[in-house]
Amino acid sequence: VTFPQAGTYDLYARVRVSSGGANDDSFFYGNGFGTKTVANDNDWILANGLFAGGYTTNTDVVDGGGQAATGVFKWINLSKFNGGETPVTFVVPAGNLTQTFQIGAREDGLDIDKFVFGTTGYYYTVSNLNNGEAGSTNPPPAPYTPPGPPIAIGKSKFLGCAYSDQQKANFGKYWNQVVPENAGKWGSVEAVRDVMNWSQLDSAYKLAKDSGYIFRFHILIWGNQQPAWIENLPAAEQVQEIREWFTAVAQRYPGIDLLEVVNEPVNDPPNTAGNGGGNYMNALGGSGTTGWDWIIKAFEMAREIFPNKKLMINEYNLENVGSVRSQYLTIINLLKQRNLIDAVGTQAHAFSLRGSSSTITNALNELAATGFPLYATEMDIDDRIPPGTTGSDDVQRQEYQRIFPLYWQHPAVKGVTLWGYRPGHWRTDQGAYIVHANGAERAAMVWLRGYVAASETTLPVTLTSFEARKIRNQVLLNWTIADEINANRFLIERSIDGRSFSTLATVNVSPSGGLYYEVMDQHPNSGMNYYRVVQIDKDGRRTYFGVRIVDFGAGKLYIRAYPNPTSAVITIRTGPGALVTITNAYGANVKSLRIPLTGVSTISVSNLPTGSYIVHSNDGGSVVSTILIIKKSN
C-alpha cells in the first residue's frame, strides 16, 4: 500500500457476515505493517464478533461500535473495535510511504470487500468510505432525545411529517400531523388481489388518533406504486376494484382529516402498464371532453364514498414549472365547478424550490387564487446546493431560512409536512434529513424549532363569533368558525355558579365545510346562567369562549364576556322604536340608542371595552333578545 503522506492511520473494513453469525465473523490482520509469520501469535490481531457491529447508513460516522445486521455489507473501524484483542493503529514513517499489509483467514463465512486506511483523528461516514472521500476533523454529534411537545403545538398551522419505520423515532416529540409515506399507497396495501396489508397504515393512523393529530391519507389514485394485478383487467372490472379500494379505506379509517384523492395528475397519471403504473386512467374516463375526465370521475367517486371528508389533490414542480402549474389550475377549477375539491397540495420538494423566493411566492399566490386552503405536503430541503456538491449544515439551514417562511407565513397555507426528517429519508443521499440517526439535530432543525416557536404567541382561534340569545325562557347559542381544520370539536357547557359546568352538547366539527353551529338550551335556569363554548383543537388544547347572563326581567339583561375578547359587539333585538340603554356594571351609561321604527329591530354597538354590561329597554316588555358576539384574532 502506497500512502500519500506519513502519519498514523486507522484501519477500516467493509465486511459481510453470513448466516452463521458468530461462527462466520472473524479474521486476522497484521499487528502493524510488514511481513508477518504465521506461527507468531504476536504478529496478528484477532478481529472477532463482527456480526454485532458496523454501519450501513451513508450518514453514519464509522466508529468502533454500530449495530448493523448480518447478511449486509457494513463498515467497521477495526482500529477502534475490540473484537477479542486490543486493536491497533498503523504508522507510516516519513521516507517510507509504501508498506506491506497482511490479513489471515479464520472463518469461511466472512466476506471482505474493501479496506481503507483513514487518518487517525478524522471522522469518516459510510458515504466517505464508499466514495474515497476525505473525512472531517469535526467529531460526530452527541446522541439526543427531544423532550417534546411537537414543534407547532398551539399554532394556527400544523407542522407534520411522513411516517414510516425509518421516520417514527421520536415522531410525536416533533410533529403534530401524520401522513403515511408509502403504507397508504394501493400497491403497498393490496399487492395481492383481495389480500390487504394494513399494518403500517394502521400504525400511522393510530398514532394520529391517539395523539389528537391531523391525519392525512396518502393516496387513493396515482400512476405509481399501484398493484400489478389491476393493469390488465377489463375496464369495468378496474373501476369496480377502484371502488372497492376506496370503500375499504373509508370503512377502516373513518377519522381521516385530509384525503388525497389523486396524486401527481399532470406528472404521473395512472396510464401505463408495468412498474406499478396502474393502467386504469381510461377506465375512469380518460381525457374525455374536459381533458381530465378521469380525475373528475375519481373525485366524484371519492365524494360519494367519503361524503364528509376534505378532498385534496397533490402535485410537484408547481413552484418552478409554469406549464405544470397551469394544467394543475385547470384541473382544480374543473373540480371546483363541480364542488368536488376542498384543499390543494403542493409537494414542495427540494428540486421544485431552486428558483427565487419571489418565484415561489408568486406560484403560491396563483394556487391560493383558487380560493382553497393550501398545504405543503412533501417538503424536503437538501444540504447540497447546487446538487452534487459536498453536503453542508450551513447550506441546508440557510435554505430552510429562505424557503420555509414563504410557506409558513403565507395566509393560504394551513400546514406544512416534511417528507421525512431522519436518515432513511427518500433524499438521504441528497442530505435532506435534519436529524442524525442518533437523534442529534442538524442546524436546520435547531433553526426550525426556534422559528416556529417564535412565529406565534397565541393559540389558534377558529371561532369568529359566539352568540348567546335570550328568547323568553330559552337561550339560543350559536357560533361561527373560520377554519374547521384547526378545530376538532366544541363542547357547549352551562353553569349556575361559573365554576361547575355541565355539558349541554358536544359538536364534532364537520370537515365538509359547515361553519355555523347552533344549540338551544330548552330549560335554562332562572336568574343567572353561565354559558361557554369550549374549542378543543387538534393538539388537545382548549380555548374557552363564554358569556354570563343574568335575567333581571322587565327589559333588563346582564351580560359579560370572557375571556377578554379583542373586540366585542352587542347586538340588541327588541321592539321597533324602543329606547335602549347600555350601562356598565357600575351603572354608568355607555350608550343610548333608539331602535328604528321602520320594521328593523336590530342594532349593534361595537368596540366596547372589556367588561360587564346591562342592557335596558323601555318598550314595555322584556328585551326580545340580546346577543353578545365575541370576535377574536390570532
Side-chain angles (χ1 to χ4, degrees):
V1 181
T2 299
F3 289 81
Q5 61 189 27
T8 303
Y9 292 84
D10 286 0
L11 172 64
Y12 297 82
R14 187 173 188 263
V15 303
R16 179 172 62 191
V17 178
S18 297
S19 59
N23 293 320
D24 280 335
D25 71 336
S26 66
F27 75 107
F28 296 99
Y29 61 91
N31 186 1
F33 291 125
T35 302
K36 307 302 179 183
T37 302
V38 172
N40 185 356
D41 185 60
N42 290 328
D43 274 357
W44 303 96
I45 302 296
L46 172 63
N48 196 7
L50 301 180
F51 80 96
Y55 300 84
T56 59
T57 302
N58 281 339
T59 57
D60 286 346
V61 173
V62 180
D63 208 345
Q67 298 179 337
T70 59
V72 297
F73 274 109
K74 57 189 181 179
W75 282 99
I76 296 178
N77 185 338
L78 294 170
S79 294
K80 292 185 177 180
F81 186 85
N82 190 333
E85 295 180 2
T86 303
V88 296
T89 56
F90 292 77
V91 178
V92 177
N96 191 10
L97 298 183
T98 298
Q99 296 289 329
T100 297
F101 170 66
Q102 292 187 326
I103 63 173
R106 186 170 188 264
E107 291 173 319
D108 62 1
L110 179 67
D111 297 325
I112 302 175
D113 178 51
K114 290 187 177 91
F115 287 107
V116 167
F117 288 97
T119 303
T120 299
Y122 279 68
Y123 303 93
Y124 297 86
T125 65
V126 168
S127 180
N128 294 153
L129 296 172
N130 281 333
N131 299 315
E133 297 170 345
S136 170
T137 56
N138 297 322
Y144 177 72
T145 301
I151 296 172
I153 190 168
K155 305 301 178 182
S156 62
K157 303 180 181 186
F158 64 72
L159 181 57
C161 189
Y163 180 90
S164 66
D165 282 342
Q166 292 83 2
Q167 305 302 318
K168 68 183 181 182
N170 298 319
F171 192 100
K173 301 293 183 65
Y174 284 114
W175 319 115
N176 63 341
Q177 184 250 5
V178 184
V179 56
E181 182 179 15
N182 288 307
K185 294 166 183 174
W186 193 1
S188 298
V189 176
E190 197 179 1
V192 178
R193 190 175 186 181
D194 296 329
V195 178
M196 313 299 276
N197 178 10
W198 302 104
S199 57
Q200 289 295 309
L201 194 49
D202 283 350
S203 179
Y205 182 78
K206 184 176 188 300
L207 172 64
K209 296 296 109 176
D210 287 351
S211 305
Y213 302 155
I214 291 173
F215 179 76
R216 187 177 99 232
F217 184 87
H218 172 82
I219 173 65
L220 292 177
I221 296 293
W222 189 25
N224 213 317
Q225 293 179 257
Q226 303 300 285
W229 52 263
I230 196 173
E231 293 178 353
N232 297 312
L233 295 179
E237 201 168 341
Q238 286 181 323
V239 173
Q240 181 58 37
E241 289 291 341
I242 292 170
R243 176 173 288 276
E244 288 180 12
W245 162 235
F246 282 26
T247 302
V249 172
Q251 292 175 348
R252 194 170 187 89
Y253 306 111
I256 291 172
D257 298 294
L258 285 166
L259 178 66
E260 287 182 51
V261 181
V262 176
N263 190 39
E264 301 174 5
V266 179
N267 283 304
D268 201 357
N271 62 353
T272 61
N275 299 316
N279 198 36
Y280 53 72
M281 191 181 91
N282 288 334
L284 288 171
S287 298
T289 58
T290 66
W292 306 98
D293 279 16
W294 67 275
I295 300 173
I296 294 171
K297 176 65 175 178
F299 271 83
E300 287 174 342
M301 191 182 300
R303 188 66 93 195
E304 173 193 350
I305 296 173
F306 301 87
N308 297 315
K309 302 304 176 189
K310 294 183 78 71
L311 304 186
M312 185 175 177
I313 196 166
N314 198 29
E315 185 57 273
Y316 70 89
N317 275 354
L318 297 173
E319 292 85 353
N320 62 329
V321 182
S323 60
V324 174
R325 187 167 65 250
S326 177
Q327 293 176 80
Y328 194 54
L329 289 169
T330 297
I331 295 167
I332 293 168
N333 286 319
L334 287 170
L335 295 171
K336 181 179 181 179
Q337 292 166 11
R338 294 160 174 80
N339 191 30
L340 294 174
I341 188 171
D342 305 294
V344 172
T346 176
Q347 293 182 12
H349 285 302
F351 47 78
S352 300
L353 308 176
R354 305 288 188 221
S356 67
S357 298
S358 60
T359 297
I360 295 172
T361 298
N362 289 339
L364 292 176
N365 290 341
E366 285 189 41
L367 295 171
T370 62
F372 295 112
L374 306 183
Y375 296 90
T377 56
E378 303 178 22
M379 179 177 284
D380 41 55
I381 298 175
D382 300 343
D383 70 3
R384 292 154 172 79
I385 310 296
T389 58
T390 301
S392 166
D393 277 3
D394 285 342
V395 165
Q396 185 187 46
R397 172 182 53 78
Q398 290 166 10
E399 280 294 277
Y400 259 93
Q401 290 173 326
R402 180 180 74 90
I403 292 170
F404 186 83
L406 302 179
Y407 292 84
W408 193 253
Q409 294 177 9
H410 197 287
V413 175
K414 302 304 181 183
V416 176
T417 303
L418 304 189
W419 208 239
Y421 79 111
R422 296 171 55 86
H425 188 297
W426 83 296
R427 291 183 69 81
T428 295
D429 290 345
Q430 290 78 25
Y433 58 93
I434 55 177
V435 165
H436 291 285
N438 67 356
E441 296 180 341
R442 300 185 71 185
M445 173 61 94
V446 175
W447 173 83
L448 182 64
R449 284 194 295 102
Y451 171 79
V452 174
S455 64
E456 300 172 16
T457 58
T458 60
L459 287 172
V461 178
T462 59
L463 196 81
T464 56
S465 70
F466 169 57
E467 173 183 313
R469 186 189 307 174
K470 181 86 164 49
I471 304 176
R472 298 182 178 84
N473 66 336
Q474 296 180 328
V475 171
L476 174 68
L477 306 170
N478 60 60
W479 62 97
T480 58
I481 63 176
D483 182 3
E484 63 269 21
I485 198 65
N486 283 327
N488 189 11
R489 62 188 185 278
F490 291 98
L491 304 179
I492 299 85
E493 299 180 335
R494 183 184 67 200
S495 172
I496 61 173
D497 58 11
R499 294 185 297 273
S500 178
F501 282 84
S502 59
T503 300
L504 297 176
T506 299
V507 177
N508 292 311
V509 174
S510 168
S512 61
L515 299 175
Y516 176 85
Y517 300 89
E518 181 177 285
V519 169
M520 177 74 78
D521 185 7
Q522 298 290 346
H523 304 288
N525 193 69
S526 60
M528 184 184 301
N529 289 279
Y530 292 81
Y531 292 95
R532 73 183 185 190
V533 174
V534 185
Q535 174 187 315
I536 305 176
D537 67 21
K538 292 294 182 179
D539 296 322
R541 301 287 294 271
R542 295 186 173 213
T543 308
Y544 298 88
F545 305 86
V547 58
R548 182 172 63 165
I549 298 177
V550 183
D551 186 359
F552 291 104
K556 294 182 181 180
L557 201 63
Y558 172 92
I559 59 177
R560 179 179 175 85
Y562 62 91
N564 294 346
T566 55
S567 65
V569 178
I570 293 180
T571 300
I572 303 98
R573 295 179 182 172
T574 185
L579 177 65
V580 175
T581 304
I582 303 173
T583 63
N584 63 23
Y586 304 99
N589 185 43
V590 175
K591 187 80 172 179
S592 294
L593 47 92
R594 188 173 294 278
I595 300 294
L597 292 170
T598 57
V600 178
S601 59
T602 300
I603 196 163
S604 295
V605 181
S606 60
N607 298 320
L608 293 166
T610 300
S612 304
Y613 300 95
I614 300 175
V615 181
H616 313 254
S617 173
N618 72 343
D619 66 345
S622 64
V623 178
V624 175
S625 65
T626 300
I627 307 166
L628 177 75
I629 300 178
I630 302 172
K631 293 186 177 180
K632 298 195 67 149
S633 66
N634 288 334

